[in-house]
Amino acid sequence: MEGHKEPLRVRVEGSHTNCSLSEMDDFHLTRALEKPRQLKIERKRSFDERSMSELSNGYVRQDSFLDMAHSPGSRSILDTPLSVRNSFEPHPIIAEAWEALRRSMVFFRGQPVGTIAAYDHASEEVLNYDQVFVRDFVPSALAFLMNGEPDIVKNFLLKTLQLQGWEKRVDRFKLGEGVMPASFKVLHDPVRKTDTIVADFGESAIGRVAPVDSGFWWIILLRAYTKSTGDLTLSESPECQKGMRLILSLCLSEGFDTFPTLLCADGCSMVDRRMGVYGYPIEIQALFFMSLRCALSMLKPDEEGREFIERIVKRLHALSFHMRNYFWLDFQQLNDIYRYKTEEYSHTAVNKFNVMPDSIPEWVFDFMPLRGGYFVGNVSPARMDFRWFSLGNCVSILSSLATPDQSMAIMDLLEHRWEELVGEMPLKICYPCIEGHEWRIVTGCDPKNTRWSYHNGGSWPVLLWTLTAACIKTGRPQIARRAIDIIESRIHRDCWPEYYDGKQGRYVGKQARKYQTWSIAGYLVAKMMLEDPSHIGMISLEEDKQMKPVIKRSASWTC
């Protein structure tokens, strides 16, 4: 569908409604429960044209590039002339990045199905870096989609969907039916000329933890593919519909939990080693929220899908209220927690989670500016993890889990604390690091997660794409350009490492792999989004007005 500019159409069963998939993203959640009825909608602009222009009248600033329309399947950078509307010339390392990305491609029976984690032949230990990871492939997939090469993404979605159907066991315990693999490897037999896939659902991973985020990323990527190509046949296929329902059945199951957030173990997300994020980590909650909204736009309202649609709507309302109230931290809220009373009983309690004011770490008081705020790393009974996690906060902006005011506050904080969060290599995975006795207890003396390294305050170039998307959505592309300039000054000379060490991110990580694929793809995606900002329509969801909570105690961004 090269060059296709018509809005995507989807048929709602049981009615004559004819609306676009992207239009369904904008349905108020309560509308999803209404009986389908006939609508007369005259479409003159695509979703991405409309949403970007409307955003610019809201909390996105009036930048000229926001008028650029998204064309499904359009190519970028390599075979599209540089737009006169952009102020930057193609950087020399772009061609090198594309070459490295293509070198990482994995083929199964002649068809591309993904990209390996790293192509570092200098490393003596391959470990599992020669495998295709679900979370690692996301920026690669976005790069291919933005460049008009959707086949590898479609093949990946179908292949991982097939792997989901496998029986999954760790020792003698059977995992849930909907669990998606953390990674898979293609084994080539040159003698028999056969290809075999070996999948890892956590039984081989360090720590033996199943990936909670894989299923969420799969749903998000399925929507991105659909938005980019206009191909509804994949998401509407019985196989994909069932795959989504299986993932949702795992995370929407009822139990003993009194919170709408999703209970998770350490090591189940990008922070895939023990780092004290057990409980309700912000990254998982933001991805959970985003995948629920993506699934809501793609599930067919048939007999099986309608039940999940109703459950999603209810969960989204509860989850958005919970996160926006209890995970949000700004100057005013910090002051309120500092003055909390403890041992409060009944529904009238202000300190609902019995957080002890003495547990507030000293660094937070100096770190928090008068203007700005962020979603903290974790909230659970008697425990609040005040660390700043980049991926969770960026995804909160992209999914509209953060309100427009909160999104602006997150960007304000980033600008105020640029040296701490960005430094000399974007972007800190979390801030600050943990060290000393706390490091020994929290990480189990993990030698890879020493202070300011790896997941413990290390700097990850892959996070550039999520930062850039958040900057574009909030109307602050200049922040992304500044971060990209930093990366372009050295990352190619350092051979595209996995992560950087040090408080300022000055040193290539002690155990970082070179030619890390998602570092390469993250840079390409960031560049292409700045060239054509409407690309973020693949990975961004607009705010649902029905989920706006009344927030009275967290309003420092209005100062």
Side-chain angles (χ1 to χ4, degrees):
M1 299 186 69
E2 190 77 23
H4 177 68
K5 296 181 182 296
E6 292 298 319
L8 312 183
R9 318 306 298 183
V10 59
R11 184 184 70 259
V12 179
E13 294 187 7
S15 75
H16 298 291
T17 301
N18 191 27
C19 60
S20 67
L21 172 69
S22 51
E23 206 169 16
M24 292 182 71
D25 293 340
D26 295 335
F27 275 179
H28 296 323
L29 294 182
T30 52
R31 290 283 301 281
L33 297 179
E34 294 179 0
K35 182 178 180 180
R37 60 184 180 183
Q38 186 172 356
L39 296 176
K40 294 182 179 180
I41 300 176
E42 183 179 352
R43 302 285 288 176
K44 293 184 179 180
R45 293 178 296 166
S46 71
F47 165 77
D48 295 292
E49 289 177 296
R50 175 178 53 76
S51 63
M52 294 303 290
S53 61
E54 287 177 359
L55 281 172
S56 64
N57 291 326
Y59 69 99
V60 174
R61 299 176 184 175
Q62 293 279 3
D63 290 291
S64 60
F65 59 72
L66 294 180
D67 296 327
M68 299 171 63
H70 172 63
S71 302
S74 62
R75 293 182 179 269
S76 179
I77 291 185
L78 288 185
D79 39 15
T80 299
L82 181 66
S83 172
V84 296
R85 286 172 287 189
N86 290 286
S87 59
F88 56 87
E89 293 290 334
H91 198 278
I93 69 172
I94 291 179
E96 174 190 324
W98 272 110
E99 181 182 351
L101 180 60
R102 297 192 190 284
R103 190 168 60 236
S104 70
M105 292 171 65
V106 173
F107 293 82
F108 179 76
R109 297 175 183 172
Q111 297 294 319
V113 292
T115 52
I116 60 173
Y119 198 83
D120 186 2
H121 289 306
S123 176
E124 295 180 357
E125 287 185 308
V126 176
L127 294 177
N128 55 359
Y129 282 82
D130 61 346
Q131 298 186 24
V132 180
F133 280 82
V134 173
R135 74 175 67 99
D136 290 43
F137 181 67
V138 171
S140 296
L142 294 178
F144 286 122
L145 288 174
M146 292 178 186
N147 204 48
E149 302 176 52
D151 288 349
I152 185 174
V153 182
K154 183 176 182 178
N155 294 338
F156 169 85
L157 289 167
L158 289 172
K159 186 52 60 180
T160 47
L161 184 63
Q162 182 182 1
L163 296 176
Q164 182 195 42
W166 288 12
E167 183 179 89
K168 301 169 278 286
R169 288 184 179 273
V170 177
D171 293 331
R172 299 183 180 182
F173 184 71
K174 184 178 178 180
L175 275 67
E177 189 179 1
V179 173
M180 281 287 184
S183 63
F184 66 86
K185 183 176 182 178
V186 177
L187 300 177
H188 302 283
D189 188 332
V191 178
R192 297 181 179 180
K193 296 182 179 180
T194 58
D195 289 346
T196 307
I197 283 186
V198 178
D200 177 17
F201 294 91
E203 71 273 20
S204 300
I206 296 174
R208 300 300 189 269
V209 178
V212 176
D213 62 335
S214 286
F216 299 152
W217 280 123
W218 187 89
I219 292 176
I220 293 167
L221 187 55
L222 178 62
R223 176 187 175 272
Y225 170 85
T226 307
K227 295 281 290 182
S228 174
T229 64
D231 177 14
L232 296 175
T233 58
L234 182 62
S235 63
E236 290 187 340
S237 67
E239 295 79 13
C240 283
Q241 291 287 311
K242 180 182 178 181
M244 284 190 285
R245 292 195 301 267
L246 287 175
I247 294 169
L248 294 170
S249 65
L250 282 177
C251 54
L252 293 175
S253 60
E254 296 176 348
F256 291 98
D257 212 326
T258 58
F259 311 138
T261 42
L262 192 63
L263 184 63
C264 301
D266 255 340
C268 63
S269 59
M270 180 180 176
V271 182
D272 61 4
R273 290 164 81 101
R274 181 176 171 185
M275 270 291 293
V277 297
Y278 55 87
Y280 308 91
I282 178 60
E283 177 185 330
I284 290 297
Q285 311 315 316
L287 288 172
F288 179 30
F289 182 87
M290 188 168 190
S291 64
L292 288 179
R293 293 200 63 195
C294 289
L296 186 63
S297 72
M298 294 185 291
L299 281 172
K300 300 170 78 172
D302 52 20
E303 184 177 349
E304 294 178 294
R306 186 165 181 79
E307 176 191 351
F308 282 95
I309 290 173
E310 293 175 352
R311 293 167 68 184
I312 289 172
V313 169
K314 294 176 182 177
R315 190 62 167 262
L316 283 172
H317 276 286
L319 183 60
S320 62
F321 179 85
H322 184 94
M323 298 297 297
R324 292 170 179 178
N325 279 274
Y326 304 125
F327 273 68
W328 182 253
L329 188 70
D330 57 20
F331 183 82
Q332 182 59 52
Q333 176 66 357
L334 180 60
N335 205 148
D336 291 346
I337 296 173
Y338 178 68
R339 291 169 50 82
Y340 266 170
K341 295 179 180 179
T342 59
E343 308 301 326
E344 293 183 296
Y345 179 75
S346 88
H347 64 277
T348 60
V350 175
N351 185 2
K352 294 186 177 182
F353 301 98
N354 201 35
V355 175
M356 307 297 168
D358 288 345
S359 70
I360 304 175
E362 288 296 325
W363 65 265
V364 179
F365 296 104
D366 294 328
F367 179 75
M368 181 63 69
L370 291 177
R371 291 189 60 183
Y374 65 104
F375 289 103
V376 298
N378 218 321
V379 176
S380 55
R383 177 176 178 265
M384 184 174 284
D385 185 346
F386 290 89
R387 284 177 294 176
W388 178 90
F389 286 85
S390 57
L391 184 58
N393 276 275
C394 287
V395 172
S396 295
I397 292 175
L398 296 176
S399 65
S400 289
L401 172 59
T403 65
D405 286 337
Q406 288 175 333
S407 296
M408 297 302 284
I410 292 171
M411 301 310 295
D412 285 341
L413 177 81
L414 190 69
E415 286 193 299
H416 278 296
R417 296 294 175 235
W418 184 267
E419 292 302 319
E420 292 93 333
L421 303 180
V422 179
E424 297 186 28
M425 179 52 65
L427 180 67
K428 280 275 180 284
I429 190 172
C430 70
Y431 180 89
C433 72
I434 52 179
E435 51 191 327
H437 180 67
E438 186 182 14
W439 167 79
R440 286 188 284 272
I441 297 299
V442 172
T443 74
C445 299
D446 188 349
K448 198 168 185 178
N449 272 327
T450 54
R451 60 195 299 268
W452 306 117
S453 179
Y454 203 48
H455 296 310
N456 190 13
S459 298
W460 292 72
V462 63
L463 295 170
L464 180 67
W465 81 263
T466 58
L467 172 64
T468 300
C471 290
I472 292 172
K473 185 172 182 180
T474 54
R476 300 191 184 183
Q478 70 280 1
I479 297 178
R481 290 194 184 102
R482 184 180 176 189
I484 289 174
D485 287 343
I486 293 174
I487 275 188
E488 287 179 335
S489 67
R490 60 177 297 196
I491 193 168
H492 63 295
R493 289 188 283 106
D494 294 335
C495 300
W496 307 93
E498 179 183 13
Y499 64 93
Y500 285 78
D501 285 352
K503 196 170 185 178
Q504 297 294 316
R506 298 179 64 186
Y507 306 97
V508 174
K510 186 181 294 184
Q511 297 188 42
R513 293 302 192 276
K514 300 292 184 70
Y515 293 100
Q516 185 78 16
T517 304
W518 69 354
S519 296
I520 297 164
Y523 164 73
L524 288 172
V525 170
K527 290 289 283 189
M528 284 189 279
M529 281 193 293
L530 272 186
E531 181 193 59
D532 182 358
S534 65
H535 278 313
I536 71 164
M538 296 183 202
I539 203 70
S540 175
L541 294 162
E542 305 315 318
E543 183 188 22
D544 190 294
K545 303 299 190 296
Q546 298 297 316
M547 290 190 296
K548 273 191 172 180
V550 178
I551 301 178
K552 297 181 179 179
R553 62 184 186 184
S554 307
S556 71
W557 59 82
T558 60
C559 295

